Amino acid sequence: MIEALLSVLPTREAPTDADDADSHGEADDGDEGRDGGEAARDTDRVSVDYDPAEADGTETVPEIPEIHQTVVTPSSIEPEPNAVRTGDQWARTLWTGEYPDRPRDGLFETLYSTAATRRTDISLHLTPRDTTATLDTLENTIEDLEADREYLEEKRKAGARGVAKDLEDYQALYDALRNTSMSAFDVSMYLAVQGDSPDDLNADGVTNTARQSPTNLTPVTPRWTQLDAFVSASPVGVDKLNESLDTTTPMLAGAVGAMFPFVAGAFAEPGIEYGTYALNESPLILDRFERETGYCAMVIGQLGAGKSFSTKLQLLRRAMYDQDTVIIMLDPLGGFAGVNGALGGERITVGGTRGLNPLELRATPADVLQDVPDLDPWAEQLSWVLTFFETFFEHVAANPLGDRKQTLRRAVQEAYERQGITKDPSTHDNESPTVRDVIAVLEDLLDSPEQFGYATDGEQEKVRGDAQTLLTDLRPSFREDGDLANLAQRTSFDLDSSVLYLDLHQEEGATGRSETSLMMQVLFNAVYERAKGTDKRVVFAIDEAHYLLNDATSLEFLETAVRHSRHYDLSLQFITQTGGEFALTPEAKTIADLCSLTLIHRVQEETDTLAEWFGLSEREVNWVRTAKAGDEEEGFSEALLGIDEEGWFPLRVRASEFEVDQIDPADG
Ligand SMILES: Nc1ncnc2c1ncn2[C@@H]1O[C@H](COP(=O)(O)OP(=O)(O)O)[C@@H](O)[C@H]1O
Ligand SMILES: [Mg+2]
């Protein structure tokens, strides 16, 4: 029914009064004054063509039923042998000739939710049967079958076995009706496949889906009676085809019950809509901060699948749902400007000369330290700083850290100690050292390793050698005019605004993948450190997170951050692309496993990997493979949402006109 209902509801392409009223309702939450102004302007635009002076007395204002008729019916209906044309659309209606013997609960789920039936109306006509009359008919049928069987058995015909089987079925039906409170129905079922042209009608796809297990239906296309079939499938509610053909099949109530989609529970709790459940279009509403296993989310999908859009929609809805949530966005491609503007956020363009200190450490709140005894902020910080350097040496200096790691670790520890920072959490409020301080320590190490406790000649020689090459690699990038000079300075921006957009937009386009990875790491850490300090809930969305997740060196650090994020009321959302140059990495899997929400948009190339990673069923894999990529024209995308401890839900993600305007402003 859904498609048919949608087609009569006002759409974005053809705005009507009702549509306007809708978007005003939503705007009400935000800006009252502006809304009032628009309403006034709307009235100015209204004009009426009817001029009483020119009326000749035959014209009348349409009656309400006539107006309704124009809303619910197509402008014209033309029957063809195999289809019906309704205005701009085409429909081919299939009738269900046969049903499975033993219907399983939810046997139509695939039929309701696969891509092939996306534009198919499914209609069931159910007429209760009078039990006594049905029993009489069944008695007659059973007697006939018994006679047939006796005759065939006497003649030793093979057909006797088939008849015996039918007889058993009818007897079982008879017993169930007679001895239990079970009632029977006459059922007919239609599938109206819609399309924009006769070629666009995917009747074969729908037929195949209907034939497959567990649905096991046999659909038939009634030729030359398409109009009657179409009426039977329409919301009019009349089984028109049944008047000329017997279209019904008797069924017990249990079988009828199994056909309904509502047996599968949708998910709804106070929160925001993540999409509508594809099985029955009911909204899937949830609050990420209510998940027991953590608040992090992973969004996966190929280029253009709708990942960024659905994330922005979630952020917008989150902000409307709870204005206290701090929202932070990180994106190397500049894509969050619209939603950031709509939320009145601060935009910080990262790069250039603005200081950003990778060594920065922030104090962990006392209550968190108390609640989580095994938390070790010092070890975490050291691990992060070494990750940062490892990435730098590997990708920027192109000389992996290797066995120089211990020497560097010693130098880093010393740099913190010189600022009075140690393992003791109460020292973490002190001003953090910078890469320049580490360079100063390395110079001292080179001069006099013995003062750092390296006792033997061998040790001293090794440490001198390490310090020498470390300095050679570090200095060019971190000197005053070096390419990473901004990373050698104190951080010169706060992340105090309640909405913040870290725009890692690479203006010249000259910045390579490894620099982007490094900057993403540093920014990730900076936000993470700050999220620790605030009492508020923080949603931190990281777009193009494959730059973070394609690098094994950062895995340990990211893993720890994700594991501990819950203690800081921090929800990390990683958006990662698959396909093309970005293969799904083992790092992405490790992080996804730690996330309580996984949203998989359209993926074609690597569905087998996803199936294996997440234990997806064939049906779920198929949904992902055929999911609709984001599309402004169609106004929705499709995805599969995995909620920890709840299961997987096929979704359609749809934004209201108001929301679309906020996410992707036309002037943006
Ligand atoms: N649910 C949706 N409704 C309307 N338009 C959408 C939807 N999802 C995506 N789009 C549009 O499709 C295009 C690609 O979506 P995007 O989110 O940028 O893809 P991805 O981030 O996966 O590469 C964008 O122009 C976006 O506006
Ligand atoms: Mg994107």
Side-chain angles (χ1 to χ4, degrees), residues 96 98-101 103-104 106-112 189 191 206-218:
T96 302
E98 274 178 55
Y99 299 84
D101 273 352
R104 201 168 91 186
L107 77 155
F108 289 172
E109 272 197 18
T110 13
L111 191 65
Y112 294 131
M189 178 175 183
L191 306 165
V206 173
T207 303
N208 284 339
T209 309
R211 285 211 169 116
Q212 271 162 25
S213 181
T215 309
N216 293 323
L217 296 174
T218 310

Coordinates of all heavy atoms in Angstrom, one line a residue, residues 96 98-101 103-104 106-112 189 191 206-218:
T96 N -1.9 -13.9 -6.9 CA -1.2 -15.1 -6.3 C -2.1 -16.3 -6.5 O -3.2 -16.4 -6.0 CB -1.0 -14.9 -4.8 OG1 -0.3 -13.7 -4.6 CG2 -0.3 -16.0 -4.2
E98 N -0.9 -19.7 -6.1 CA -0.7 -20.7 -5.1 C 0.1 -20.2 -3.9 O 0.9 -19.4 -4.0 CB 0.0 -21.9 -5.7 CG -1.0 -22.9 -6.4 CD -0.2 -24.0 -7.1 OE1 0.5 -24.7 -6.3 OE2 -0.4 -24.2 -8.3
Y99 N -0.2 -20.8 -2.7 CA 0.5 -20.5 -1.5 C 1.2 -21.7 -1.0 O 0.9 -22.8 -1.4 CB -0.6 -20.0 -0.4 CG -1.4 -18.8 -0.9 CD1 -2.5 -19.0 -1.7 CD2 -1.0 -17.6 -0.4 CE1 -3.2 -17.9 -2.1 CE2 -1.7 -16.5 -0.8 CZ -2.9 -16.6 -1.6 OH -3.6 -15.5 -2.0
P100 N 2.2 -21.5 -0.1 CA 2.9 -22.6 0.4 C 2.0 -23.5 1.3 O 1.1 -22.9 1.9 CB 4.1 -22.0 1.2 CG 3.6 -20.6 1.5 CD 2.7 -20.2 0.4
D101 N 2.4 -24.8 1.4 CA 1.6 -25.7 2.2 C 1.6 -25.3 3.7 O 0.6 -25.3 4.4 CB 2.1 -27.1 2.0 CG 1.5 -27.8 0.8 OD1 0.5 -27.2 0.3 OD2 1.9 -28.9 0.5
P103 N 2.9 -22.4 5.8 CA 3.5 -21.1 5.9 C 4.2 -20.9 7.2 O 3.7 -21.3 8.2 CB 2.3 -20.1 5.8 CG 1.1 -21.0 6.1 CD 1.4 -22.4 5.8
R104 N 5.4 -20.3 7.1 CA 6.2 -20.0 8.3 C 5.8 -18.6 8.8 O 5.5 -17.8 7.9 CB 7.6 -20.1 7.8 CG 8.6 -20.3 8.8 CD 9.9 -20.6 8.2 NE 10.7 -19.4 8.0 CZ 11.8 -19.3 7.3 NH1 12.3 -20.4 6.7 NH2 12.4 -18.2 7.3
G106 N 6.0 -14.9 9.4 CA 6.8 -13.9 8.8 C 7.3 -14.3 7.4 O 8.3 -13.8 6.9
L107 N 6.5 -15.2 6.7 CA 7.0 -15.7 5.4 C 7.1 -14.6 4.4 O 7.8 -14.8 3.4 CB 6.1 -16.9 5.0 CG 4.7 -16.6 4.3 CD1 4.4 -17.7 3.4 CD2 3.7 -16.4 5.4
F108 N 6.4 -13.5 4.6 CA 6.5 -12.5 3.5 C 7.5 -11.4 3.8 O 7.6 -10.4 3.1 CB 5.1 -11.8 3.4 CG 4.0 -12.7 2.8 CD1 2.7 -12.3 2.8 CD2 4.4 -13.9 2.2 CE1 1.7 -13.1 2.2 CE2 3.4 -14.7 1.7 CZ 2.1 -14.3 1.7
E109 N 8.3 -11.6 4.8 CA 9.3 -10.5 5.2 C 10.1 -10.1 4.0 O 10.3 -8.9 3.7 CB 10.2 -10.9 6.3 CG 9.5 -10.6 7.7 CD 10.5 -10.6 8.8 OE1 11.7 -10.6 8.5 OE2 10.1 -10.7 9.9
T110 N 10.7 -11.1 3.3 CA 11.5 -10.8 2.1 C 10.7 -10.0 1.1 O 11.2 -9.1 0.5 CB 12.1 -12.0 1.4 OG1 11.4 -13.2 1.9 CG2 13.5 -12.2 1.6
L111 N 9.5 -10.5 0.9 CA 8.6 -9.9 -0.1 C 8.4 -8.4 0.3 O 8.4 -7.5 -0.6 CB 7.3 -10.6 -0.1 CG 6.3 -10.3 -1.2 CD1 6.9 -10.7 -2.5 CD2 5.0 -11.0 -1.0
Y112 N 8.2 -8.1 1.6 CA 8.0 -6.7 2.0 C 9.3 -5.9 1.9 O 9.2 -4.7 1.8 CB 7.5 -6.7 3.4 CG 6.1 -7.3 3.6 CD1 5.8 -8.2 4.6 CD2 5.0 -6.9 2.7 CE1 4.6 -8.7 4.7 CE2 3.8 -7.4 2.9 CZ 3.5 -8.4 3.9 OH 2.3 -8.9 4.0
M189 N -4.8 -12.4 -3.0 CA -3.6 -11.6 -2.8 C -3.1 -11.0 -4.1 O -3.1 -11.8 -5.1 CB -2.5 -12.4 -2.2 CG -1.2 -11.6 -2.0 SD 0.0 -12.7 -1.1 CE 1.3 -11.5 -0.9
L191 N -0.2 -8.3 -6.1 CA 1.1 -7.5 -6.1 C 1.0 -6.6 -7.3 O 1.1 -7.0 -8.4 CB 2.3 -8.5 -6.3 CG 2.4 -9.6 -5.3 CD1 3.4 -10.7 -5.8 CD2 2.7 -9.1 -3.9
V206 N 10.0 -9.1 -9.0 CA 9.0 -9.4 -8.0 C 8.5 -10.8 -8.0 O 8.4 -11.5 -6.9 CB 7.7 -8.4 -8.2 CG1 6.6 -8.8 -7.2 CG2 8.2 -7.0 -8.0
T207 N 8.3 -11.4 -9.2 CA 7.9 -12.8 -9.3 C 9.0 -13.7 -8.7 O 8.7 -14.6 -7.9 CB 7.7 -13.2 -10.8 OG1 6.7 -12.3 -11.3 CG2 7.2 -14.6 -10.9
N208 N 10.3 -13.4 -9.0 CA 11.3 -14.3 -8.4 C 11.4 -14.2 -6.9 O 11.5 -15.2 -6.2 CB 12.7 -13.8 -8.9 CG 12.9 -14.3 -10.4 OD1 12.2 -15.2 -10.8 ND2 13.8 -13.6 -11.1
T209 N 11.2 -13.0 -6.4 CA 11.2 -12.8 -4.9 C 10.1 -13.6 -4.3 O 10.2 -14.3 -3.3 CB 11.1 -11.3 -4.5 OG1 12.1 -10.6 -5.3 CG2 11.3 -11.1 -3.1
A210 N 8.9 -13.5 -4.9 CA 7.7 -14.2 -4.4 C 7.9 -15.7 -4.5 O 7.3 -16.4 -3.6 CB 6.5 -13.7 -5.2
R211 N 8.6 -16.2 -5.5 CA 8.7 -17.6 -5.6 C 9.7 -18.2 -4.6 O 9.6 -19.4 -4.3 CB 9.2 -18.0 -7.0 CG 8.2 -17.8 -8.0 CD 8.4 -18.8 -9.2 NE 7.2 -18.8 -10.0 CZ 7.2 -18.4 -11.3 NH1 8.3 -18.0 -11.8 NH2 6.1 -18.4 -12.0
Q212 N 10.7 -17.3 -4.2 CA 11.7 -17.9 -3.3 C 11.2 -18.2 -1.9 O 10.3 -17.6 -1.4 CB 12.9 -16.8 -3.2 CG 13.9 -17.0 -4.3 CD 14.7 -15.7 -4.5 OE1 14.9 -15.0 -3.5 NE2 15.3 -15.5 -5.6
S213 N 12.0 -19.2 -1.3 CA 11.7 -19.5 0.1 C 12.1 -18.3 0.9 O 13.0 -17.6 0.6 CB 12.6 -20.7 0.4 OG 12.3 -21.1 1.7
P214 N 11.4 -18.0 2.0 CA 10.3 -18.8 2.6 C 8.9 -18.3 2.1 O 7.9 -18.8 2.5 CB 10.4 -18.4 4.1 CG 10.9 -17.0 4.1 CD 11.8 -16.9 2.9
T215 N 8.9 -17.4 1.1 CA 7.6 -16.9 0.7 C 6.9 -17.9 -0.1 O 5.7 -18.2 0.1 CB 7.8 -15.6 -0.2 OG1 8.7 -14.7 0.5 CG2 6.5 -14.9 -0.5
N216 N 7.5 -18.5 -1.1 CA 7.0 -19.7 -1.9 C 5.6 -19.5 -2.5 O 4.7 -20.3 -2.4 CB 6.9 -20.9 -1.0 CG 8.3 -21.4 -0.6 OD1 9.2 -21.4 -1.5 ND2 8.5 -21.9 0.6
L217 N 5.4 -18.3 -3.0 CA 4.1 -18.0 -3.7 C 4.2 -18.3 -5.2 O 5.4 -18.3 -5.7 CB 3.7 -16.5 -3.5 CG 3.4 -16.1 -2.1 CD1 3.2 -14.6 -2.1 CD2 2.2 -16.8 -1.5
T218 N 3.1 -18.5 -5.9 CA 3.1 -18.6 -7.3 C 2.3 -17.4 -7.9 O 1.1 -17.5 -7.9 CB 2.5 -19.9 -7.8 OG1 3.2 -21.0 -7.0 CG2 2.7 -20.2 -9.2

